[in-house]
Amino acid sequence: MKYPANMQNKANNNQGKIFEKLIELGCQKYARANKAFIEKIPEDFHPQKIDKTNGKATGYYKAKAQPDFQGTLHGGRSICFEAKYTSADRIKSSVITKNQAECLTMHARLGAYVGVCCQINKTVAFVPWDAWKNMKEIYGRMYITEEEAKVYQIPSPMYIDFLYMHELGVC
């Protein structure tokens, strides 16, 4: 059954929020285990008006979007990554804004563990930044499919284990 676009967008937005909450649970688990201290970077949204009937706020973002999560791994290496969710079978590179890409590139250049933690349909993966930014060269197009993301698949046992690949020494 095909749902209207606005319903599908709302469902995807809600799933994206759940996905980020599962990443935050991973952050809490790593902090308790003294493996890392990683925080969600709040968006700088300034409400201008709140609709009293439904509680929705309208406003603007004061700053350009930053990557979603940043922190420090045990031993001092920094980590910086963006979180993305899609119910589709592929995710486009363009879901990362120009400013986010510039930030991720700079963090990577300075030696941080950088990537895109994403869920593509049912596959949860941490795609290293070098692979994400070089999709065109690697895949011949500007998206990665769910099947291709399985190379970077990470466990999600009631939280997103985004350090899995790093701990294996892959990234």
Side-chain angles (χ1 to χ4, degrees), residues 82-147:
E82 178 63 18
K84 294 294 180 190
Y85 169 86
T86 183
S87 60
D89 66 347
R90 64 189 65 187
I91 193 165
K92 295 178 181 179
S93 67
S94 62
V95 297
I96 304 295
T97 69
K98 184 177 185 247
N99 191 66
Q100 288 167 332
E102 289 170 357
C103 289
L104 292 166
T105 298
M106 180 58 80
H107 280 278
R109 193 177 302 134
L110 294 171
Y113 177 51
V114 178
V116 178
C117 188
C118 57
Q119 182 170 345
I120 306 170
N121 195 17
K122 295 188 181 345
T123 301
V124 178
F126 191 95
V127 181
W129 183 240
D130 277 344
W132 187 277
K133 73 177 183 176
N134 293 309
M135 272 186 205
K136 182 75 171 167
E137 292 78 21
I138 296 169
Y139 304 108
R141 52 188 144 64
M142 298 302 288
Y143 64 86
I144 184 172
T145 66
E146 179 180 15
E147 195 59 38

Side-chain angles (χ1 to χ4, degrees), residues 6 10 13-14 17 45 47-59:
N6 64 340
K10 187 172 184 173
N13 192 20
N14 287 337
K17 287 178 182 175
F45 182 76
Q48 290 180 308
K49 183 173 79 173
I50 298 177
D51 186 331
K52 295 193 188 309
T53 60
N54 61 18
K56 288 189 177 182
T58 56

